[in-house]
Amino acid sequence: MRRLLSALLLAAAALVALPPGTASAGTVADYPEFPYPATAYDEPYRGQFHFSPRAGWMNDPNGMVYYRGTYHLFFQHNPHGLAWDTMHWGHATSTDMVHWTQRPIALEPGVHPGDLWSGNGVVDTANVTGLKSGDDDPILVFSGTNGVTVHYSTDGARTFQTFDRGRKVAVPSGTSRDPHVFWHAASNRWVMVVWNDGGGNGATFYTSPNLLDWTYASRFAAGWFFECPDMFPLAVDGTGTVKWVLADASGEYVIGAFDGTTFRPDWSAPQRMDLGTNTADGTFYAGQTFTGVPDGRVVQMSWQPGNHGSTWTGDQTFPAELALKTFPEGVRLTRTPIREISTLRSGGQAYSNRSVSPGGPLAVATADTYEVTAEFDVAGATASSFGLRLHTRADGTYDRAVGYDRAAATLYGRPLAPVNGRVRMRVLVDRGQLEVFGNDGRLSVSDNVNFNSAGTSQGIQAYAEGGAVNLVSLQFYRLGRAWGTGESTLDGNLAGPWSAVGGAWTDTAGGKQATATGDAFYLSNTTAGDFTYEGDVKVVSGTAAALTFRASADGTQHYTANVDTGGVVKLWRPGKEIAVAATPIVAGRYYHLKVVAAGSRIRVYLDHGANPVIDATDTAYTSGRLGLNVFHGTAILANPTLNGTGLRTNLAGPWHPAGGSWTVPGAGLRGNSGTDAFALSATTAADLTYEGDVRVVNGVAAALTFRASADGTQHYTANVDTGGLVKLWRPGQDIAVFATPILEGRTYHLKVVARGPGIAVYLNGTKVIDASDGTYASGYLGVNAFNGTATFQNLNLSP
Ligand code: FRU
């Protein structure tokens, strides 16, 4: 019956007219490659402070934007294999450009039309696109081949829609790709530069007032210029004349003038900003810079194709600040690791004025991943070459030398003239990556090296050959790992890094999933003694799913409160069943567990009951980590919340129920009902904008209700329905439906805008229903749950 109903509703959905230009963002269910296998980012050659995808193939960095405290890195991504294929846009976020957390896929073939190839992104803070639909500024990203397509987000880059069903907004001649958009303040316009080969290699420029309508401006033809343009202004020597830099995928660049329409280069031949191997199978390719870095820095990341391991291919260079500086040979672009590298440093060690010779090398330190900056006196040296040996072993062998050849005047084989008789070399050494900088960024060489990271292979040595050299100064720092400050699909408020003890853990749409033969734990970095801790747990198959608390990092000490399909809720610790409460527990549905721990008293609540099902005393552990547990089978754990703050709303109380059972637990308002049930606030409104976060914990629907009568017999209700739709209805009438996957355990943001008979419904910032119904003019605001359990949070009315 339900299937039939769903089929009818889905058929009806096809008839709902959508405003032009609106397309479904797709939801997690449309993204079959997520989950990836779990990774601790500890495989051989896995960069510890270089970004790589959890699994699959990565190439160019894309859409790098800063938005309200978060840096977004998108990237060319094949999640299905280790080679280039079927491009998606992967996504990762960071608050400092150093520590990255991978997010679900941003652009997905089949959901987002067009070839999802490289391009950049901008934030539309002035809403010139008119695409803004909530609090968030639109974020636009540009992609497509042989014509530019626009995708945009109205929820802070959580989900993306495609503009005008993928209509190409600019079509350069010949083969073309890799649009790059930037703001040109002097002409007060947006500019797009695209690589194309109509008439030979070159860049075609377009301008736009609104990021959506583009007008051809000019063409810059150059045989050397191929793929992935980047373009940005820089003040020479930080204060002087501003020059525009135009670069291509191989890091070749020219500087020149740009008036908003035409680029006029100062040079006839390009320079190279990085002297690694600048090809798609090399070590430095397709670099891009962030838009909107708050302090105005120009920061670049670039694809390093050569790094790969058991489950991934490719990494990105450590972010580098770009500058233009004047040298005897002219103005050149410099690359310098961003200063946020300091967040990774520990164990500093400094040396000065050491004579280094073949018989007397300097043992600098022993380290796995690290940074060394060293200055050598070239003018006074008798050595033919000198520098740093990396990953040395007791037998004298080493993995790589970064040396300066005095006769050739080269560092690491690339030309570098001494300055005032000295050279400075700086190396960033990661497990599969080596970045070499000479004379403060004048020379940059990005390389991939498979270092042997065994403990016996971690020596660092300053050396000289054929004579002696004075090591003027040397600074060493250990660089720690940048991984593990967050989790991609585990909604909740516990801090990372998380660590797994036993079991196989993956990300699923509904939460964190584990399969274990015995006990497996997933432990957060949040430690607490007395607290309220709650979460939603579901046994998929097998025995038990649980909350763990007051745990040791290795999981050998802990309390665990579970639901067990043997028909109990159980509180236990290693070696002791503290208490059990008999209650039917079935596989396949979520239960809400809540633990209130106060000293030796531990209470466990099931499904928001007013009274604990377990009220026990135990003194074994007083504090420790919060986490999750699975025993013997497969389970999904979601929404782990410490000391939740109740319902956040600007609606007036008291609330009253109309059907069902309603509670206000830690994580918001919660309703349970076999049929339709309402909780209604004391606020009434006629015209309104009303929004909130709704979640079907298990069952069918969660909804916002408005213009309701006090007894709930008259109302409008806009819901998310796990049958796969968003629906606007009133008693006796489905007004409109929009088909889209809706998942249990997932939070959706619903917004209703009602003006007289006009009622629009937004899902995650995108308008999905635009309807007209004049039955009810005003009434109470509240929420609705249908056939199951639903939770509600952040319920807010605005005029
Ligand atoms: C550069 C590149 C781009 C293209 C993308 C496809 O590496 O060829 O020109 O957009 O990769 O993945």
Side-chain angles (χ1 to χ4, degrees):
M1 177 60 196
R2 254 195 64 69
R3 284 176 63 110
L4 180 63
L5 193 65
S6 302
L8 286 171
L9 290 170
L10 284 167
L15 302 175
V16 176
L18 288 172
T22 305
S24 167
T27 73
V28 256
D30 297 331
Y31 302 69
E33 52 284 326
F34 212 76
Y36 300 100
T39 176
Y41 293 102
D42 217 9
E43 305 90 346
Y45 314 130
R46 174 74 92 167
Q48 298 298 291
F49 59 93
H50 286 83
F51 178 78
S52 56
R54 297 164 68 113
W57 160 278
M58 174 174 73
N59 54 294
D60 313 353
N62 293 154
M64 296 156 68
V65 296
Y66 171 85
Y67 176 65
R68 296 191 185 173
T70 300
Y71 294 90
H72 294 266
L73 167 67
F74 301 88
F75 50 91
Q76 292 286 286
H77 185 37
N78 172 19
H80 304 295
L82 295 176
W84 186 96
D85 208 344
T86 323
M87 282 295 110
H88 300 52
W89 277 37
H91 185 199
T93 57
S94 171
T95 54
D96 60 4
M97 298 184 270
V98 175
H99 299 81
W100 293 98
T101 300
Q102 192 169 341
R103 301 294 172 192
I105 301 279
L107 299 181
E108 166 89 22
V111 176
H112 300 94
D115 281 332
L116 301 174
W117 286 23
S118 284
N120 83 330
V122 297
V123 180
D124 176 20
T125 46
N127 193 27
V128 293
T129 58
L131 293 170
K132 184 167 178 163
S133 66
D135 291 340
D136 280 301
D137 296 329
I139 297 175
L140 276 75
V141 298
F142 302 85
S143 183
T145 60
N146 303 331
V148 177
T149 51
V150 184
H151 309 275
Y152 67 98
S153 173
T154 54
D155 60 5
R158 274 189 69 235
T159 59
F160 281 85
Q161 286 77 242
T162 298
F163 174 67
D164 209 357
R165 297 185 164 81
R167 175 171 65 81
K168 294 181 174 184
V169 297
V171 185
S173 61
T175 299
S176 71
R177 56 178 171 264
D178 308 336
H180 179 97
V181 171
F182 57 92
W183 174 246
H184 187 256
S187 61
N188 207 35
R189 286 191 303 214
W190 294 95
V191 176
M192 180 194 291
V193 52
V194 193
W195 170 78
N196 72 319
D197 69 1
N201 269 336
T204 296
F205 289 91
Y206 298 85
T207 62
S208 173
N210 64 2
L211 290 163
L212 299 173
D213 299 300
W214 293 93
T215 306
Y216 173 89
S218 70
R219 187 154 199 279
F220 168 74
W224 58 268
F225 187 88
F226 181 61
E227 301 189 326
C228 305
D230 196 356
M231 190 161 164
F232 42 86
L234 282 170
V236 177
D237 301 315
T239 52
T241 327
V242 169
K243 293 285 180 189
W244 284 82
V245 178
L246 175 65
D248 75 355
S250 63
E252 289 184 300
Y253 68 98
V254 288
I255 62 171
F258 184 66
D259 59 7
T261 304
T262 309
F263 177 70
R264 292 190 175 77
D266 290 359
W267 306 333
S268 53
Q271 296 290 327
R272 273 163 74 198
M273 65 174 80
D274 183 279
L275 302 188
T277 307
N278 308 127
T279 58
D281 56 1
T283 59
F284 179 100
Y285 199 67
Q288 285 286 302
T289 51
F290 282 97
T291 52
V293 179
D295 61 6
R297 280 180 294 172
V298 177
V299 176
Q300 179 197 54
M301 292 171 87
S302 193
W303 172 37
Q304 295 199 271
N307 173 248
H308 54 90
S310 49
T311 61
W312 82 97
T313 306
D315 74 88
Q316 302 293 336
T317 55
F318 190 81
E321 182 176 354
L322 306 185
L324 287 178
K325 291 184 190 159
T326 307
F327 295 90
E329 59 273 29
V331 173
R332 294 290 182 269
L333 192 117
T334 60
R335 299 183 75 253
T336 309
I338 56 168
R339 59 173 179 264
E340 288 85 348
I341 196 170
S342 64
T343 62
L344 299 171
R345 285 175 179 156
S346 65
Q349 212 148 301
Y351 303 85
S352 58
N353 285 316
R354 296 285 184 122
S355 177
V356 179
S357 62
L362 173 70
V364 173
T366 305
D368 176 10
T369 56
Y370 56 91
E371 170 188 10
V372 180
T373 304
E375 182 168 322
F376 291 90
D377 176 11
V378 183
T382 55
S384 53
S385 66
F386 49 83
L388 300 166
R389 289 182 180 138
L390 312 178
H391 285 263
T392 66
R393 292 168 281 272
D395 64 2
T397 60
Y398 50 89
D399 286 343
R400 190 57 58 98
V402 176
Y404 191 77
D405 183 318
R406 216 156 49 89
T410 56
L411 175 64
Y412 201 51
R414 280 77 171 176
L416 182 71
V419 174
N420 298 328
R422 293 176 174 180
V423 289
R424 284 165 70 84
M425 57 183 76
R426 180 175 182 186
V427 293
L428 306 190
V429 181
D430 205 343
R431 295 210 177 133
Q433 301 79 7
L434 169 64
E435 295 188 48
V436 177
F437 302 91
N439 287 350
D440 305 309
R442 169 67 184 88
L443 172 68
S444 165
V445 188
S446 298
D447 204 355
N448 287 119
V449 179
N450 286 346
F451 286 108
N452 175 353
S453 287
T456 51
S457 172
Q458 295 187 0
I460 306 163
Q461 205 181 63
Y463 75 95
E465 282 169 0
V469 66
N470 185 37
L471 173 62
V472 180
S473 66
L474 184 147
Q475 178 67 54
F476 159 86
Y477 292 108
R478 239 168 257 290
L479 293 180
R481 55 195 255 133
W483 297 113
T485 49
E487 278 303 310
S488 42
T489 61
L490 196 60
D491 283 333
N493 66 357
L494 304 186
W498 290 74
S499 55
V501 180
W505 294 84
T506 61
D507 290 303
T508 69
K512 203 81 194 173
Q513 176 176 303
T515 298
T517 45
D519 272 299
F521 297 90
Y522 198 61
L523 298 173
S524 78
N525 206 23
T526 298
T527 294
D530 291 353
F531 50 79
T532 298
Y533 176 43
E534 61 201 297
D536 297 299
V537 305
K538 171 161 95 176
V539 178
V540 176
S541 63
T543 307
L547 301 180
T548 288
F549 52 101
R550 294 184 181 170
S552 58
D554 63 1
T556 57
Q557 306 190 343
H558 62 89
Y559 290 111
T560 291
N562 73 21
V563 295
D564 182 315
T565 52
V568 291
V569 171
K570 188 195 299 181
L571 174 67
W572 65 283
R573 61 174 164 84
K576 180 160 190 199
E577 278 188 7
I578 299 165
V580 293
T583 182
I585 300 292
V586 296
R589 63 154 279 199
Y590 281 98
Y591 293 89
H592 188 84
L593 280 175
K594 180 170 83 175
V595 174
V596 177
S600 60
R601 185 175 182 197
I602 300 170
R603 279 165 288 178
V604 182
Y605 296 77
L606 181 67
D607 279 344
H608 300 279
N611 299 313
V613 292
I614 289 173
D615 190 344
T617 300
D618 192 274
T619 56
Y621 313 119
T622 55
S623 92
R625 286 167 197 262
L626 298 171
L628 311 164
N629 162 275
V630 170
F631 174 66
H632 195 254
T634 297
I636 296 179
L637 309 139
N639 313 310
T641 306
L642 173 67
N643 297 329
T645 51
L647 175 64
R648 291 181 292 272
T649 181
N650 67 1
L651 302 182
W655 289 67
H656 68 275
S661 64
W662 292 88
T663 54
V664 183
L669 176 63
R670 181 182 189 95
N672 184 271
S673 173
T675 55
D676 270 305
F678 300 87
L680 298 170
S681 75
T683 300
T684 60
D687 284 355
L688 52 94
T689 298
Y690 176 39
E691 59 196 304
D693 297 317
V694 305
R695 180 194 301 157
V696 178
V697 178
N698 55 63
V700 179
L704 300 180
T705 290
F706 53 101
R707 296 183 180 169
S709 59
D711 63 359
T713 56
Q714 305 190 343
H715 61 89
Y716 289 112
T717 291
N719 73 20
V720 294
D721 181 314
T722 54
L725 41 104
V726 173
K727 191 202 309 181
L728 174 67
W729 65 284
R730 60 176 167 81
Q733 172 95 42
D734 285 358
I735 300 165
V737 293
F738 174 76
T740 184
I742 299 293
L743 301 169
E744 282 185 352
R746 201 78 180 162
T747 303
Y748 297 89
H749 189 78
L750 277 180
K751 181 171 81 171
V752 173
V753 178
R755 300 276 179 269
I759 304 175
V761 182
Y762 294 74
L763 176 69
N764 292 339
T766 300
K767 189 192 282 188
V768 294
I769 288 174
D770 207 351
S772 183
D773 189 284
T775 311
Y776 309 119
S778 77
Y780 290 98
L781 293 161
V783 297
N784 158 275
F786 174 64
N787 220 340
T789 300
T791 60
F792 306 88
Q793 185 57 289
N794 302 316
L795 299 171
N796 289 312
L797 171 70
S798 47

